[in-house]
Amino acid sequence: MLHSTLMFLIYAGMLYFLPANLIYVVLLIAGVRDIRRGRRCQKTELRKSTVPPSLPGISVLAPAFNMEGSILPSIAGLLSLDYPDFEVIVINDGSSDRTFELLSQTYELEAVELPTTQPLCRSPIHGLYRSKLNPRLRVLDKVNGGHKADALNAGLSFAHSKLFCAVDADSLLERDALHQIVRPFLADPDTMIASGGTIRVINGSRFHDGKIEKPRVSKNPLVLFQTVEYIRAFYTGRTGWNRFNSLIVISGAFGLFRTSAVKGVGGYGADAIGEDMELVLRLHHEFRKNKIPYKMGFVPEAVCWTEVPETLHGMYVQRHRWQRGLLDSLASHRSMFLNPRYGTLGFLAMPYFYFVEAFGPIVEIFLWGVLFIAQSYGLLSFAFWLAFVLVSLSFSWALSMCSILVEIHYFSHYPRIRDFLLLTAASLVEPFGYRQVTAVWRLAGTHSFLRGENHWGKFKRSGFVSGVGPVDKTAIQKEENP
């Protein structure tokens, strides 16, 4: 009876992972086709364009909490972006370190009168400031609201532009990032409401004055594994779902939205743990429910470099929060699940995120546990066990390698042979232990979500730009609005 039960569970697990892996393959193929189509369209646009298009204004919202080690170079990088019409709104979300002090001293902030409009955020606002040296920069000082969503809502309340770009204040955008991410809005100015860009790992790279000089792959094994994860996620998930017009996640580190559309749905969810995914789902939900034509896009050429955790504790906190955010967002919009009103979003994307992304860690840990028990009691032949392990790990490695090759062939953010070899080695080692540990962390996140935990969860970043000298005020004064 034990043998029959264990074999039934093993075969059931295999039947679960077979369609899940097939979905990964379909998304990868669809993603590559979407990348190729996007690059062809971009070349066609460049050939046909004789007069530069009129570009819409963009408000860049950068929430900052205790970022004294990286805030100055990051903001310098944002202010030096190659885009004609943009403003930067830094939201100091109740920092207890010198974040606001450094901004005030470096950019010579002066208080301005708060508008009479009611802010979307719930926490009190201390004041609004503008830089004397660079009129593009405004700083909003507020009480910490406990969630990143509250800080973004505060910045959104004071955004002047037609579009707004949500970024992390400790991230670096490539100089042409706004030019790239705005492309879907130029192609479909009436219906496009959101577009996302690619997130790249900055740990190990060389940078100067808020700009990437030489992209490098870190030697830290944890960072290496995360780099592979990011490449795989964006070239199989985001590009693939974009091909099916069912993009559910636009990264909170770099996303562009129509200001009126987001304000129309009430801004970011005040208590949302995964505010980025929840907002995108709510936009889908409201626009489709009210039968309003809309589109969302993804631009892999638009790149944002961000710091990832370098310690096990940092990764645990991050993955724990991601899992809670995923479950919270799916639960909030469960009415779209298998609902014909929502098309491929309801019938394909929502079931995928429920059964593969949300419950995948549970199934994975359970199946490996069953395999271990069966092998320990001699109920499973070693040949069968070895074949299962080799097939599953080989498939995982092949998927990662295909994503890495897409990165090298089409984008080449990591041009050195050494970086390619490191990424290849990481993709080989990743399935042995790392994947299982992250599954356990996500399982812990599921348990916390079921218990009703709603805290944000913070970890100490190493500060990838720590030790950089003071920002040159002469250079700041040259970066005024045209």
Side-chain angles (χ1 to χ4, degrees):
M1 184 179 295
L2 179 61
H3 178 269
S4 300
T5 302
L6 289 173
M7 291 306 297
F8 171 78
L9 293 174
I10 290 171
Y11 285 122
M14 293 172 64
L15 288 175
Y16 170 88
F17 279 106
L18 179 61
N21 287 330
L22 288 177
I23 290 174
Y24 288 137
V25 173
V26 172
L27 288 175
L28 178 62
I29 295 173
V32 172
R33 294 185 65 182
D34 192 65
I35 290 170
R36 294 177 63 185
R37 183 183 63 174
R39 294 179 77 83
R40 285 198 303 267
C41 291
Q42 191 174 15
K43 290 179 181 178
T44 302
E45 292 169 4
L46 290 174
R47 285 198 300 267
K48 291 182 177 180
S49 178
T50 55
V51 179
S54 177
L55 298 174
I58 297 176
S59 295
V60 180
L61 308 185
F65 175 77
N66 288 351
M67 294 181 178
E68 65 177 358
S70 59
I71 190 66
L72 292 183
S74 294
I75 301 308
L78 290 177
L79 291 172
S80 64
L81 290 172
D82 180 19
Y83 196 80
D85 183 11
F86 75 97
E87 63 173 351
V88 176
I89 303 177
V90 180
I91 305 100
N92 179 47
D93 196 20
S95 298
S96 58
D97 63 358
R98 299 178 62 240
T99 297
F100 181 77
E101 180 184 347
L102 289 173
L103 287 170
S104 180
Q105 293 176 353
T106 304
Y107 290 97
E108 297 185 12
L109 300 181
E110 61 178 352
V112 297
E113 186 177 354
L114 284 169
T116 57
T117 55
Q118 182 67 27
L120 294 170
C121 65
R122 298 188 300 189
S123 54
I125 295 175
H126 293 312
L128 180 64
Y129 303 84
R130 182 182 296 276
S131 170
K132 294 181 182 179
L133 301 181
N134 193 323
R136 290 188 191 273
L137 176 64
R138 288 189 289 163
V139 177
L140 187 64
D141 189 27
K142 63 182 286 292
V143 175
N144 185 273
H147 289 79
K148 183 181 174 183
D150 190 69
L152 287 167
N153 280 336
L156 180 60
S157 302
F158 301 102
H160 292 156
S161 305
K162 182 179 179 181
L163 306 177
F164 78 90
C165 181
V167 302
D168 285 342
D170 59 349
S171 299
L172 297 178
L173 302 184
E174 292 195 347
R175 284 185 60 84
D176 67 342
L178 294 184
H179 268 292
Q180 293 289 352
I181 202 171
V182 81
R183 280 168 40 207
F185 287 88
L186 302 179
D188 295 288
D190 298 324
T191 57
M192 190 65 59
I193 62 171
S195 65
T198 300
I199 308 300
R200 283 285 164 266
V201 175
I202 197 173
N203 307 57
S205 297
R206 291 178 59 182
F207 40 84
H208 180 68
D209 289 340
K211 305 178 187 68
I212 291 289
E213 283 190 337
K214 293 184 178 180
R216 294 287 185 266
V217 171
S218 173
K219 296 179 181 179
N220 184 318
L222 284 179
V223 176
L224 260 176
F225 295 146
Q226 291 175 85
T227 304
V228 173
E229 275 187 309
Y230 274 62
I231 293 173
R232 186 172 58 233
F234 281 90
Y235 293 145
T236 58
R238 308 293 168 85
T239 52
W241 288 119
N242 183 55
R243 181 73 173 177
F244 293 112
N245 297 316
S246 299
L247 194 64
I248 280 183
V249 182
I250 291 177
S251 176
F254 187 35
L256 186 66
F257 299 87
R258 188 176 300 278
T259 305
S260 59
V262 176
K263 286 184 176 180
V265 298
Y268 287 86
D271 297 317
I273 306 167
E275 80 292 332
D276 46 3
M277 182 178 185
E278 196 282 328
L279 174 63
V280 174
L281 281 172
R282 186 145 40 88
L283 288 169
H284 279 300
H285 202 155
E286 293 299 320
F287 274 72
R288 295 208 183 197
K289 183 174 67 175
N290 296 308
K291 298 181 179 179
I292 303 173
Y294 76 99
K295 290 181 181 179
M296 295 188 188
F298 176 75
V299 186
E301 292 85 1
V303 177
C304 168
W305 295 83
T306 192
E307 181 187 10
V308 299
E310 296 188 348
T311 65
L312 288 172
H313 172 72
M315 281 200 64
Y316 167 76
V317 173
Q318 184 190 66
R319 300 311 167 95
H320 191 276
R321 184 180 71 236
W322 284 2
Q323 184 70 7
R324 287 185 292 118
L326 170 64
L327 294 171
D328 179 60
S329 299
L330 292 176
S332 299
H333 301 280
R334 56 187 177 276
S335 60
M336 291 194 293
F337 180 72
L338 295 178
N339 189 329
R341 175 185 292 180
Y342 300 97
T344 55
L345 180 74
F347 271 98
L348 290 179
M350 290 294 284
Y352 166 83
F353 277 89
Y354 266 105
F355 295 119
V356 178
E357 295 293 338
F359 301 129
I362 300 174
V363 177
E364 183 175 352
I365 293 173
F366 180 78
L367 181 58
W368 283 111
V370 169
L371 284 169
F372 177 77
I373 293 172
Q375 180 62 27
S376 300
Y377 282 91
L379 302 176
L380 191 67
S381 69
F382 178 77
F384 181 92
W385 178 86
L386 183 62
F388 178 83
V389 171
L390 289 178
V391 169
S392 60
L393 296 183
S394 297
F395 188 90
S396 173
W397 176 76
L399 187 66
S400 297
M401 278 307 303
C402 287
S403 302
I404 292 170
L405 291 173
V406 169
E407 152 66 31
I408 298 298
H409 179 71
Y410 288 105
F411 305 103
S412 191
H413 290 120
Y414 306 107
R416 299 191 308 169
I417 296 296
R418 171 186 172 276
D419 293 335
F420 173 73
L421 294 177
L422 282 173
L423 291 173
T424 301
S427 67
L428 283 168
V429 178
E430 180 202 20
F432 298 94
Y434 174 81
R435 189 78 60 85
Q436 291 73 33
V437 170
T438 55
V440 171
W441 290 339
R442 293 173 62 191
L443 183 60
T446 301
H447 179 255
S448 297
F449 171 77
L450 295 175
R451 291 178 56 189
E453 294 183 15
N454 194 37
H455 60 279
W456 172 251
K458 301 178 178 69
F459 61 91
K460 183 176 178 60
R461 297 180 183 269
S462 60
F464 61 84
V465 288
S466 60
V468 177
V471 178
D472 183 2
K473 291 189 176 183
T474 305
I476 294 174
Q477 291 173 317
K478 293 179 181 178
E479 294 168 359
E480 296 183 353
N481 275 316

